[in-house]
Amino acid sequence: MARSTRTASLDAPLGRGTRIGRAPQPSRDRFGRATEWIARAMGTPWFLVALTMFCVAWIAWNTMAPDTLRFDAAANGFTALTLMLSLQASYAAPLILLAQNRQDDRDRVQIEQDRQRAERNLADTEYLAREIVALRIALNELSGEVVTRETLRDELRALVEDFDARASGESADETAEREERRRKAERREKAERDARDR
């Protein structure tokens, strides 16, 4: 999918205005689950051991048992055993393919979700970068001097305090008090910087 070509706004992350559609969920039918279980079971060493033991027992019984109890003659090349193994192999391949198709569908859904998550993260990162640039520009215009890392850290710290205060439900009086303390600290720091510059 191509990204949107509309112009970026500086006040919101990209992609927030549109709803990302839900990805289709893989089928959850019983037959599909059964085919996956059979395919998984056929891919284990225990299945191979069990099949080998079954074939050995079949051949041993039809070779060593009395003639009246044998049901698949060795003279005919164990026709019934060959037929059963051919039937098992002819069903095994489609079952394995069905299980692989279901896994491919799940992988496709997961890849789509990862892509959408990456786009949201990119939009949020771009938004934060624009906010930091806007903050630097605003600080530069207000102070008329080059914004240092220290000044930027102080401003970001102040913003974080504002967010924390709003989240904790701070009253208007407490907010005004905190703002006044911050302004006094800023004036004191500015006076110290001016004194050092002279």
Side-chain angles (χ1 to χ4, degrees):
M1 287 182 127
R3 288 192 58 169
S4 174
T5 57
R6 65 187 175 96
T7 58
S9 172
L10 293 177
D11 59 349
L14 296 176
R16 290 291 176 158
T18 59
R19 282 296 230 187
I20 297 174
R22 289 182 57 142
Q25 296 293 323
S27 174
R28 299 189 185 279
D29 59 322
R30 289 183 185 160
F31 181 72
R33 287 197 302 268
T35 59
E36 286 180 338
W37 181 83
I38 291 169
R40 236 182 273 116
M42 290 173 77
T44 61
W46 295 112
F47 175 78
L48 293 175
V49 169
L51 187 61
T52 303
M53 296 303 291
F54 173 78
C55 291
V56 167
W58 182 289
I59 291 170
W61 178 265
N62 287 299
T63 304
M64 294 185 246
D67 286 339
T68 56
L69 298 176
R70 294 180 191 172
F71 50 85
D72 191 15
N76 293 336
F78 300 110
T79 308
L81 177 64
T82 306
L83 195 66
M84 283 179 54
L85 292 176
S86 297
L87 186 65
Q88 182 265 335
S90 67
Y91 275 99
L95 287 174
I96 291 169
L97 287 174
L98 279 171
Q100 284 178 344
N101 288 342
R102 284 173 56 88
Q103 184 62 44
D104 289 344
D105 290 343
R106 278 196 298 271
D107 291 344
R108 198 173 303 113
V109 167
Q110 185 64 42
I111 288 169
E112 179 64 20
Q113 289 173 349
D114 290 345
R115 187 190 62 75
Q116 290 173 354
R117 195 175 300 117
E119 282 184 358
R120 283 194 302 268
N121 289 341
L122 179 63
D124 289 343
T125 303
E126 289 174 352
Y127 171 69
L128 290 173
R130 287 193 304 270
E131 285 296 308
I132 289 174
V133 168
L135 181 63
R136 280 189 173 196
I137 291 170
L139 285 173
N140 194 18
E141 289 173 357
L142 286 176
S143 64
E145 60 186 38
V146 176
V147 178
T148 63
R149 285 184 182 175
E150 184 179 309
T151 308
L152 186 59
R153 279 193 200 113
D154 292 342
E155 287 298 320
L156 287 173
R157 193 175 300 117
L159 284 172
V160 169
E161 287 174 8
D162 287 344
F163 289 141
D164 290 343
R166 287 180 188 164
S168 65
E170 185 180 72
S171 68
D173 293 337
E174 291 171 333
T175 304
E177 228 177 89
R178 190 168 39 76
E179 287 293 328
E180 186 59 34
R181 282 196 307 268
R182 187 189 308 156
R183 277 193 223 101
K184 284 180 185 176
E186 286 175 2
R187 283 196 295 266
R188 191 178 328 114
E189 287 173 7
K190 190 171 183 346
E192 288 174 2
R193 276 198 304 269
D194 291 343
R196 273 183 289 181
D197 291 343
R198 290 181 195 159

